[in-house]
Structure formats: structure tokens, C-alpha cells
């Protein structure tokens, strides 16, 4: 069984999405991600990430049989294209240094066949960072969160505990004041090294395995 990404264009009518998902369920396929939007010409576009597809040709034929469906495009899954995601959140200068380490290390592994992508969000403020941290649990393919700043705690710590429990996201924190360091899996002083170790934690071609560590480790 394979994973695929589909883009379906259809008339914007009530019940079309139900018909599409019913067909997918009938094929015993799991939907891991959806993105829907309406184009200017009142055509609905649905991007779907599908797992455990046994017969993609049969699935597409059934979807195309719906009179409201205008087209069905098949793509490689986002996991195959962009792979595992590292999310870096926090102060701008610190974020850039973490990203430098992560991108450089990801390049080393990606030329060996890995697919690891790096996303950055330079923001400040407890409420903003807590909101961004909590949202990581809703991001597809997010495997590691790196928190980079000078002080983090309170709501951010609660969000860290939540994404670790609900999504199993690895959390790496820079060594800074605040309670976030009490809940992170790994605490790093050097931001470039934090980015490097974030990649090594999830790279299949790396020997370092943070997932087998217990408690929080400081470097």
C-alpha cells in the first residue's frame, strides 16, 4: 500500500465533500491531511493526503464518476516531497542561528536520500509563542519543535507539555531562563548546535537518537 496526494477540483455545492469522503472511506483509505479553498470562479479545490492506498487507479475512477468533480490530479505525498518537518519558533536572531544549523545539517542528510524540511517563525511574546507552540500539534509532518529565545515559561510550558503528550513531538530548547527548559527533551546552549541536533534526532541516516533519551538532557 502506498501514500498519495490528490488535488480534486469540483463544483462548489452542498454535499460534494461528503460524497468524496464517502468514496475514500469505501476504499478503506485513511485521510491524513486536508486543505480546502474556493477559487474565484466558484470552483472548490480539495487537497488530500492519503495513506494506505491499495488501488489508486480505482479510487480516482470512482472520484471522477461524481458529476460535480471536474478533475482529479495525483501527486507524490507531501511526506515524500518535503518529508519530516522541524519547526523553529522564537526570537528572530536566535531563530536564524538555529535555522542555520538545521538547514546545513539537513542538507547533509538529504543528499543521502532523506527528506527533512525546516520551518521558521520569528516571534516574541508569551501568548504568541504559546499559540504557535500549541499549533504544532495541528501541523502535518511536524516531528521536532525548537524553542529559541531568552525567556520562556508559563503558557508556553503548558503548550509544550500538550504537544509532547498528544503528538509525541520532540522539543528542543535553548538554555534560557523560564520553565520551558524543565519540559524540553533536550536543552542546548549553542543555537547552531540546537539546529544540528534537531535534524539528527529525526534523520534515519544519523546515529544520534534523542527519542531513546529519558528526562531532559543539557548540552
Amino acid at each position: 500500500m502506498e501514500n498519495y496526494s490528490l488535488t480534486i477540483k469540483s463544483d462548489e455545492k452542498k454535499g460534494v465533500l461528503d460524497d468524496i469522503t464517502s468514496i475514500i472511506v469505501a476504499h478503506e483509505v485513511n485521510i491524513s491531511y486536508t486543505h480546502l479553498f474556493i477559487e474565484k470562479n466558484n470552483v472548490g479545490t480539495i487537497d488530500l493526503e492519503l495513506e494506505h492506498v491499495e488501488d489508486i487507479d480505482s479510487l480516482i475512477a470512482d472520484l471522477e464518476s461524481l458529476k460535480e468533480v471536474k478533475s482529479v490530479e495525483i501527486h507524490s505525498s507531501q511526506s515524500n516531497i518535503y518529508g519530516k518537518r522541524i519547526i523553529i519558533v522564537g526570537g528572530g536572531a536566535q531563530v536564524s542561528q538555529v535555522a542555520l544549523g538545521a538547514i546545513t545539517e539537513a542538507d547533509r542528510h538529504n543528499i543521502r536520500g532523506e527528506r527533512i524540511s525546516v520551518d521558521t517563525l520569528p516571534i516574541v511574546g508569551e501568548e504568541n509563542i504559546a499559540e504557535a507552540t500549541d499549533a504544532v500539534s495541528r501541523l502535518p509532518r511536524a516531528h521536532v519543535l525548537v524553542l529559541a529565545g531568552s525567556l520562556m515559561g508559563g503558557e508556553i510550558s503548558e503548550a509544550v507539555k500538550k504537544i509532547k503528550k498528544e503528538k509525541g513531538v520532540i522539543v528542543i530548547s535553548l538554555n534560557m531562563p523560564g520553565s520551558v527548559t524543565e519540559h524540553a527533551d533536550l536543552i542546548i546552549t549553542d543555537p547552531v548546535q540546537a539546529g544540528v541536533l534537531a535534524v539528527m534526532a529525526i534523520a534515519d541516516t544519523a546515529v544520534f537518537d534523542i527519542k531513546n533519551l529519558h528526562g531532559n538532557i543539557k548540552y
Side-chain angles (χ1 to χ4, degrees):
M1 292 186 179
E2 301 289 339
N3 297 341
Y4 294 94
S5 177
L6 295 182
T7 297
I8 303 171
K9 292 185 180 293
S10 70
D11 294 327
E12 174 53 22
K13 292 183 179 179
K14 184 178 180 180
V16 175
L17 182 59
D18 286 342
D19 293 338
I20 290 172
T21 54
S22 294
I23 289 175
I24 293 172
V25 170
H27 280 258
E28 298 183 347
V29 171
N30 181 54
I31 302 173
S32 60
Y33 174 77
T34 61
H35 178 230
L36 299 85
F37 60 96
I38 308 301
E39 299 179 7
K40 293 180 180 179
N41 55 2
N42 209 35
V43 171
T45 296
I46 308 169
D47 293 318
L48 298 165
E49 288 287 312
L50 305 178
E51 298 177 332
H52 314 307
V53 182
E54 185 172 346
D55 189 343
I56 187 63
D57 293 330
S58 175
L59 174 59
I60 291 176
D62 286 347
L63 290 170
E64 290 178 333
S65 70
L66 294 173
K67 64 179 182 180
E68 294 86 2
V69 170
K70 295 179 175 294
S71 66
V72 180
E73 295 180 8
I74 182 172
H75 318 279
S76 295
S77 71
Q78 293 290 332
S79 294
N80 291 337
I81 298 172
Y82 286 101
K84 305 167 185 173
R85 297 171 73 181
I86 294 171
I87 313 296
I88 306 168
V89 175
Q94 297 277 38
V95 166
S96 66
Q97 291 300 296
V98 176
L100 174 64
I103 292 170
T104 303
E105 185 68 13
D107 184 61
R108 276 198 331 114
H109 293 280
N110 288 350
I111 61 175
R112 303 177 191 173
E114 295 264 4
R115 291 294 178 99
I116 298 173
S117 55
V118 180
D119 296 89
T120 61
L121 181 60
I123 55 172
V124 295
E126 180 180 337
E127 184 177 346
N128 291 333
I129 295 175
E131 183 179 47
T133 298
D134 181 71
V136 170
S137 65
R138 303 188 296 276
L139 289 176
R141 309 183 325 279
H143 285 67
V144 180
L145 169 66
V146 183
L147 291 171
S150 57
L151 172 65
M152 290 192 189
E155 293 181 21
I156 305 171
S157 295
E158 294 303 312
V160 165
K161 290 190 289 185
K162 179 182 176 182
I163 65 170
K164 287 179 61 177
K165 179 180 179 180
E166 295 182 357
K167 193 77 179 288
V169 174
I170 296 169
V171 178
I172 296 176
S173 169
L174 295 190
N175 194 7
M176 55 188 165
S179 57
V180 158
T181 55
E182 299 174 11
H183 306 290
D185 298 292
L186 195 65
I187 303 165
I188 308 292
T189 299
D190 181 76
V192 175
Q193 187 182 29
V196 170
L197 291 178
V199 173
M200 292 181 66
I202 58 173
D204 294 331
T205 51
V207 295
F208 175 71
D209 188 358
I210 192 176
K211 289 173 281 190
N212 290 329
L213 297 177
H214 298 282
N216 54 22
I217 309 299
K218 293 187 178 181
Y219 280 85

